[in-house]
Amino acid sequence: MKIFIDTANLDMIREINSWGILDGVTTNPSLIAKEGVDVRTRVKEIAEIVDGPVSAEIMSVTAPEMIAEAREVAAIHPNINIKLPMCVETLKAVKVLSAEGIKVNVTLIFSAHQALLAAKAGAAYVSPFVGRLDDIGTYGIDLVAQIMQVFQNYGFATEVIAASIRSPAHVLDAALAGCDIATIPYDILKKMVQHPKTDEGIAKFKADYEKSVKN
Ligand code: G3P
């Protein structure tokens, strides 16, 4: 499974990139706003750090505007992909942009029907929001599994990004469902490294080593 980080924070991106496990980055307007920066400047900075796709969300609402804005943003750096929210105008825009070789991540996916339509229009990625479905009392990960099944049934090349990831268990669930990509917040990536038994084992090996060196 490919691992993306879901943030617009450069320090976090640099750190996780240094681990050697980072395949890409997703941003959204909320994450960019948290950094208090200009979207185009920030996605360019990110694209220069990470050797992989960087999703930049664009805010136009009609297909012609989406297409024009997407062309401009995609031209900033070859790593930049366009992120558009699921709606009819997005489907129209995806059809045009994908024919031009501009990759689109269709976001805010909350049903397999939406994912099927996005894939048919030519989306490179779809992003089902796992945590936000859990928030309303459903099992978000079931949607990821459904989309994987539908895409496998028909051989769609569209990759599925498990988004709105809130815990290491969500990442594991996505991996068990065979999801192509998980986009993961920084604090969850840090938690994935840790295990109390690992820390305990390291401390014990260190203590035993120091005892043996002294003897
Ligand atoms: O990738 C989508 C993500 O940024 C949304 O996460 O936690 O706001 O639902 P959340």
Side-chain angles (χ1 to χ4, degrees), residues 6-7 26-28 30-31 57 83 105 107-108 110 127-133 135 161-166 183-185:
D6 194 28
T7 185
T26 51
T27 66
N28 65 38
S30 309
L31 294 170
E57 193 150 346
K83 202 171 178 190
N105 172 2
T107 190
L108 289 167
F110 288 94
S127 292
F129 275 38
V130 176
R132 290 193 196 181
L133 279 168
D135 289 344
I161 305 178
S164 185
I165 293 284
R166 305 272 179 79
T183 189
I184 309 171

Side-chain angles (χ1 to χ4, degrees), residues 7-171:
T7 185
N9 181 283
L10 294 183
D11 290 337
M12 290 177 183
I13 291 167
R14 282 196 194 97
E15 186 190 335
I16 302 302
N17 196 40
S18 77
W19 295 2
I21 54 93
L22 193 62
D23 299 300
V25 180
T26 51
T27 66
N28 65 38
S30 309
L31 294 170
I32 298 265
K34 215 154 75 175
E35 299 300 312
V37 289
D38 165 68
V39 181
R40 294 187 187 200
T41 310
R42 181 48 53 98
V43 293
K44 182 170 186 282
E45 288 167 331
I46 297 171
E48 284 166 354
I49 296 170
V50 179
D51 184 19
V54 176
S55 285
E57 193 150 346
I58 64 170
M59 302 306 293
S60 298
V61 290
T62 67
E65 288 166 350
M66 287 172 174
I67 292 162
E69 192 182 350
R71 285 177 181 147
E72 282 178 23
V73 173
I76 294 173
H77 192 286
N79 287 352
I80 294 178
N81 293 334
I82 302 305
K83 202 171 178 190
L84 286 168
M86 178 64 198
C87 62
V88 169
E89 291 303 297
T90 282
L91 293 177
K92 295 178 197 168
V94 167
K95 186 80 195 161
V96 173
L97 293 168
S98 65
E100 292 176 14
I102 295 176
K103 289 186 171 182
V104 182
N105 172 2
V106 178
T107 190
L108 289 167
I109 293 284
F110 288 94
S111 77
H113 321 106
Q114 292 177 321
L116 175 61
L117 294 174
K120 282 194 69 77
Y125 308 97
V126 290
S127 292
F129 275 38
V130 176
R132 290 193 196 181
L133 279 168
D134 288 1
D135 289 344
I136 57 164
T138 57
Y139 290 103
I141 205 64
D142 288 353
L143 173 60
V144 171
Q146 281 181 358
I147 297 171
M148 291 305 302
Q149 180 69 61
V150 169
F151 285 6
Q152 273 161 25
N153 287 350
Y154 297 101
F156 284 114
T158 308
E159 291 187 278
V160 179
I161 305 178
S164 185
I165 293 284
R166 305 272 179 79
S167 65
H170 272 160
V171 180

